[in-house]
Amino acid sequence: TYKLFVAYSVLKRTENGQMSWGDEVVGGRNLEKCFDDMIVLSDNPCPQAIIKRLTHGAIQADVRELGMKSTNFLDAESYKITANDLAQFTAMLEARQLPISRASQDKLIAAMRRNVYRQGIPAGSSGTVADKVGFLDGLLHDAAIVYSPSGTYVLVIMTDGSSWAEIAALTRKIEELRG
């Protein structure tokens, strides 16, 4: 899920001219392809190469400017993302309140809607979902904007040792409680 913050940093820098969508990133892929791959496919080489170019410190500063106080990008070994920071970020994104253009925010949401990992929140929701999953060493996370029949909401579920089926079941329960 940290890739959402990397994506924000990329969008910010394409807008201010520090990066260009045609820039070569890794493996013959340009920035536009890498942006899409890291959100839609949860690709790892692209964000790793982007972070190397931008630096951990720059992404950390971007996250802090958004008010996310608990997320840490100081180095590759100490990434720390909280459900609260992800919820705040996705809520700002959905409301188009990030300090980047609406077109850039729409680009990120469009990529999230095409995420290929649909077994978590999307599988449990009765609505359309724009989400970004994260999975590593038994950790399963899903950060989503849910466009449900009863209204749009943000849902972030972070687990350790759970399953996608349990995340989907929890999503169904939350939707039942929302009425």
Side-chain angles (χ1 to χ4, degrees):
T1 54
Y2 77 91
K3 295 168 189 167
L4 286 172
F5 297 118
V6 176
Y8 168 72
S9 290
V10 166
L11 292 166
K12 182 178 174 180
R13 280 159 186 80
T14 58
E15 285 187 5
N16 70 18
Q18 291 179 308
M19 298 177 89
S20 172
W21 292 116
D23 292 351
E24 179 72 23
V25 177
V26 67
R29 292 181 282 176
N30 65 17
L31 186 60
E32 184 150 25
K33 178 71 171 144
C34 271
F35 178 89
D36 204 59
D37 286 354
M38 83 174 165
I39 300 301
V40 176
L41 306 176
S42 204
D43 175 84
N44 288 319
C46 283
Q48 290 167 357
I50 292 167
I51 290 168
K52 188 174 183 178
R53 178 174 170 182
L54 294 179
T55 76
H56 289 96
I59 297 170
Q60 178 76 23
D62 290 345
V63 170
R64 287 292 183 269
E65 287 173 7
L66 294 175
M68 282 86 195
K69 305 260 187 261
S70 299
T71 292
N72 177 10
F73 270 96
L74 296 179
D75 59 63
E77 283 73 45
S78 63
Y79 288 173
K80 175 185 163 193
I81 312 290
T82 65
N84 186 59
D85 283 354
L86 282 168
Q88 183 180 344
F89 179 84
T90 53
M92 290 172 72
L93 175 62
E94 192 284 321
R96 307 309 193 276
Q97 294 175 338
L98 293 174
I100 54 176
S101 72
R102 181 178 183 94
S104 289
Q105 292 174 83
D106 289 346
K107 182 178 184 73
L108 179 52
I109 290 171
M112 292 169 67
R113 283 179 182 249
R114 291 183 287 112
N115 173 16
V116 298
Y117 297 99
R118 309 308 285 173
Q119 305 93 327
I121 293 172
S125 176
S126 61
T128 302
V129 177
D131 69 325
K132 176 67 187 88
V133 299
F135 47 90
L136 179 68
D137 300 331
L139 302 174
L140 296 179
H141 305 328
D142 205 343
I145 301 167
V146 181
Y147 304 94
S148 80
S150 63
T152 300
Y153 65 96
V154 167
L155 179 58
V156 176
I157 301 174
M158 301 179 87
T159 70
D160 186 356
S162 190
S163 69
W164 293 119
E166 288 175 353
I167 291 172
L170 182 56
T171 302
R172 280 189 289 281
K173 185 67 173 171
I174 289 167
E175 285 202 354
E176 286 174 23
L177 294 171
R178 289 188 78 244

